[in-house]
């Protein structure tokens, strides 16, 4: 498809997607090609010319430091954390320091397992970054007797969404969904769903944008096109975004186990925004301290493996047969295994100490690396992109379009978080 779109019939094209990890690296046997893809991906934005982003990142860091000082803070990290749970950079770094040894130990153990596979195959080389995804899949198959190709046929996107995500939401909250084909979308791949409460009243709209495309930001996230507000009389219009590889025409979109988890995870953010019930838009939906944002999503992703939910959606896309019990058990063992986390200690240190122009190319490179977003969903991440400036056209029923909020907001539903009422708003207890 990628070659045909470029007028290169008879050739193969592996387009880079806008994330740190590139999906083909998990399947390509050709090590030299893996290295080429990894190198091209990691070097994006650093070749000079109009697309070089290094000077932009350095300038962004300058402006952030200036902003923090104007507001009376020592550095940008102190400014950002002042109204968050961590409160200050020292506390945040203390947490990361506790995590780092365990994360590094886990990564080294995984690397050792992969190197053993390389040596057993007489590869004759040391594990490199472009080898990680490929040999991680081999280790997974050896350790858990689980090949992604075995489970993908049971995770067809539409079925996971309707019979998994929406089914679980109905069981938990009594809500139902109906697709709206009469409302405008910003891309043909996008679909719109109206969400109804148990009494039949409309709660809000959910836009789902799941397929990767070249013009699209990488990763997975939730955002709001319209914030719920009793003051403005608006109902929420929420969007969920993933970057699943789009299948060829007429073929089903089959998900990996991690993509299924991500689908449930991001829907947790969506209900966070949809269940908002506040007066002022500033307090709407996920507009809470950023370090609280992941609670509803982490809560919701757990339902992906709940037996009654899994049995309802994990069915073969061709035959409709349920996923075999032994395959379910192997999938659960795989889920219980964890990958090393990637604490952003470098970014914290950068914004805790720097308040001027980089003094050397090495310093600029450090800023580039520390500022680079990582939205790989090969495992469930607790970070998500924060976008501003996008507006959407929506139905009059749901009020005027608004710039999406990028910060986290708390749900008005007590099932997602304990709440206390302050005037007409609800905040975390």
């Amino acid at each position: 498809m990628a070659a045909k779109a470029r007028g290169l019939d008879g050739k193969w094209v592996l387009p880079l997607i806008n994330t740190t990890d590139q999906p083909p690296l998990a399947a390509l046997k050709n090590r030299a090609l893996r290295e080429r893809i990894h190198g091209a991906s990691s070097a994006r934005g650093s070749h000079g010319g109009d697309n070089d982003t290094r000077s932009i990142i350095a300038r962004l860091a300058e402006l952030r430091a200036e902003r923090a000082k104007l507001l009376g803070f020592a550095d940008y990290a102190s400014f950002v954390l002042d109204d968050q749970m961590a409160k200050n950079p020292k506390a945040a770094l203390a947490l990361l320091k506790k995590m780092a040894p365990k994360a590094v130990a886990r990564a080294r153990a995984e690397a050792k397992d992969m190197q053993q596979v390389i040596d057993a195959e007489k590869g004759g080389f040391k594990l490199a970054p472009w080898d990680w995804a490929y040999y991680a899949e081999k280790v997974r198959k050896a350790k858990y007797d689980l090949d992604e190709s075995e489970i993908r046929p049971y995770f067809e996107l539409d079925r996971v969404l309707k019979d998994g995500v929406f089914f679980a939401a109905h069981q938990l909250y009594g809500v139902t969904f109906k697709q709206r084909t009469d409302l405008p979308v910003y891309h043909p791949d996008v679909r719109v769903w109206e969400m109804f409460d148990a009494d039949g009243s409309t709660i809000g709209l959910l836009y789902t944008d799941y397929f990767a495309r070249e013009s699209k930001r990488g990763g997975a996230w939730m955002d709001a096109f319209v914030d719920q507000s009793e003051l403005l009389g608006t109902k929420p219009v929420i969007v969920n975004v993933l970057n699943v590889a789009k299948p060829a025409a007429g073929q089903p979109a089959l998900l990996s186990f991690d993509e299924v988890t991500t689908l449930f995870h991001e829907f947790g953010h969506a209900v966070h925004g949809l269940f908002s019930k506040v007066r002022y838009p500033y307090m709407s939906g996920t507009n809470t301290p950023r370090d609280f944002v992941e609670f509803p999503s982490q809560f919701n992703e757990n339902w992906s493996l709940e037996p009654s939910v899994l049995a309802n959606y994990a069915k073969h896309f061709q035959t409709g047969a349920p996923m075999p019990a032994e395959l379910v058990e192997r999938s659960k063992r795989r889920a219980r295994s964890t990958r090393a986390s990637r604490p952003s200690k470098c970014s914290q240190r950068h914004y805790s100490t720097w308040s001027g122009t980089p003094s050397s190319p090495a310093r600029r490179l450090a800023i580039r690396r520390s500022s680079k977003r990582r939205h790989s969903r090969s495992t469930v991440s607790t970070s998500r992109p924060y976008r501003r400036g996008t507006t959407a056209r929506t139905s009059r029923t749901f009020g005027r379009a608004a710039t999406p909020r990028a910060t986290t907001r708390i749900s008005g539903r007590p099932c997602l978080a304990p709440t206390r009422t302050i005037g007409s708003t609800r905040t975390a207890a």
Side-chain angles (χ1 to χ4, degrees):
M1 286 179 66
K4 187 175 181 181
R6 292 166 174 78
L8 300 172
D9 290 344
K11 296 184 179 180
W12 291 92
V13 172
L14 295 175
L16 299 178
I17 64 172
N18 190 18
T19 57
T20 303
D21 294 338
Q22 301 298 320
L25 294 181
L28 285 171
K29 295 180 180 180
N30 187 320
R31 188 170 189 248
L33 184 54
R34 292 202 304 268
E35 184 176 2
R36 279 181 60 196
I37 292 173
H38 179 272
S41 176
S42 60
R44 283 176 298 180
S46 60
H47 297 291
D50 294 340
N51 295 322
D52 195 309
T53 58
R54 289 174 292 183
S55 62
I56 296 173
I57 293 170
R59 180 59 179 151
L60 179 62
E62 289 178 4
L63 293 173
R64 285 177 168 177
E66 183 180 343
R67 181 187 183 192
K69 286 189 174 181
L70 285 171
L71 294 171
F73 293 89
D75 47 56
Y76 186 70
S78 298
F79 163 63
V80 169
L81 292 170
D82 182 65
D83 63 348
Q84 306 298 312
M85 293 180 181
K87 293 302 291 180
N88 57 66
K90 184 178 179 180
L93 282 170
L95 175 62
L96 292 176
K97 284 179 179 178
K98 288 180 181 178
M99 292 170 57
K102 290 180 171 54
V104 170
R106 178 71 186 182
R108 284 176 175 163
E110 292 184 359
K112 183 179 179 181
D113 289 341
M114 293 179 213
Q115 188 64 54
Q116 287 176 348
V117 174
I118 294 170
D119 294 343
E121 294 178 348
K122 295 181 170 46
F125 57 86
K126 292 294 183 183
L127 180 74
W130 47 89
D131 301 317
W132 192 282
Y134 181 72
Y135 285 97
E137 184 63 30
K138 289 199 169 194
V139 170
R140 182 181 301 125
K141 191 174 188 318
K143 264 193 169 183
Y144 307 106
D145 191 23
L146 184 64
D147 189 329
E148 284 286 0
S149 63
E150 287 185 86
I151 63 175
R152 280 181 181 272
Y154 296 93
F155 293 151
E156 193 272 323
L157 175 58
D158 249 29
R159 180 168 275 162
V160 174
L161 178 64
K162 296 176 184 177
D163 297 342
V165 173
F166 289 169
F167 171 78
H170 176 68
Q171 297 299 308
L172 288 167
Y173 316 119
V175 297
T176 53
F177 295 84
K178 177 184 177 182
Q179 186 170 357
R180 295 285 301 270
T181 57
D182 57 319
L183 296 178
V185 293
Y186 54 87
H187 189 275
D189 289 344
V190 177
R191 292 189 290 175
V192 189
W193 310 85
E194 187 169 358
M195 181 176 172
F196 300 94
D197 213 338
D199 61 3
S201 61
T202 295
I203 294 175
L205 291 178
L206 173 66
Y207 280 64
T208 55
D209 182 357
Y210 291 146
F211 293 124
R213 53 183 178 271
E214 287 190 8
S215 61
K216 186 177 177 182
R217 183 181 198 158
W221 67 92
M222 162 270 187
D223 215 329
F225 290 148
V226 179
D227 289 318
Q228 177 275 328
S229 168
E230 293 176 353
L231 179 68
L232 301 177
T234 55
K235 293 182 183 293
V237 179
I238 304 300
V239 60
N240 262 177
V241 182
L242 271 66
N243 271 277
V244 175
K246 188 175 180 179
Q251 297 300 310
L254 304 180
L255 305 182
S256 68
F257 183 83
D258 291 326
E259 287 168 337
V260 170
T261 307
T262 301
L263 195 65
F264 275 84
H265 176 100
E266 295 305 332
F267 185 75
H269 288 303
V271 294
H272 200 176
L274 286 163
F275 285 157
S276 175
K277 190 175 182 181
V278 301
R279 178 168 177 78
Y280 301 106
Y282 181 77
M283 301 296 293
S284 181
T286 54
N287 194 14
T288 60
R290 280 180 58 177
D291 33 10
F292 180 81
V293 67
E294 297 303 324
F295 174 72
S297 55
Q298 295 285 344
F299 171 81
N300 199 73
E301 74 180 49
N302 286 306
W303 297 101
S304 65
L305 283 174
E306 200 281 328
S308 64
V309 177
L310 185 66
N312 203 58
Y313 75 83
K315 298 176 182 178
H316 198 282
F317 77 99
Q318 289 178 320
T319 66
M323 181 183 281
E326 53 86 20
L327 191 53
V328 170
E329 186 54 39
R330 282 189 279 148
S331 298
K332 288 182 176 179
R333 287 202 305 272
R334 156 75 171 84
R336 288 192 287 267
S337 70
T338 56
R339 236 181 110 183
S341 59
R342 298 169 176 170
S344 53
K345 189 190 282 188
C346 179
S347 182
Q348 268 291 335
R349 287 199 180 281
H350 164 59
Y351 284 119
S352 299
T353 58
W354 186 68
S355 60
T357 305
S359 57
S360 68
R363 190 65 182 262
R364 283 194 284 273
L365 180 60
I367 291 168
R368 176 173 175 266
R369 285 175 174 168
S370 67
S371 302
K372 185 178 181 182
R373 290 189 182 278
R374 288 177 170 85
H375 300 307
S376 163
R377 303 302 290 215
S378 57
T379 57
V380 178
S381 168
T382 56
S383 65
R384 62 188 179 100
Y386 291 90
R387 303 186 301 158
R388 291 195 183 277
T390 304
T391 56
R393 222 169 163 189
T394 58
S395 165
R396 287 181 181 274
T397 307
F398 295 88
R400 62 189 181 188
T403 301
R405 288 205 176 272
T407 48
T408 354
R409 305 158 194 153
I410 190 169
S411 165
R413 292 280 173 124
C415 56
L416 286 183
T419 59
R420 57 187 170 89
T421 303
I422 302 177
S424 59
T425 65
R426 300 171 73 85
T427 61

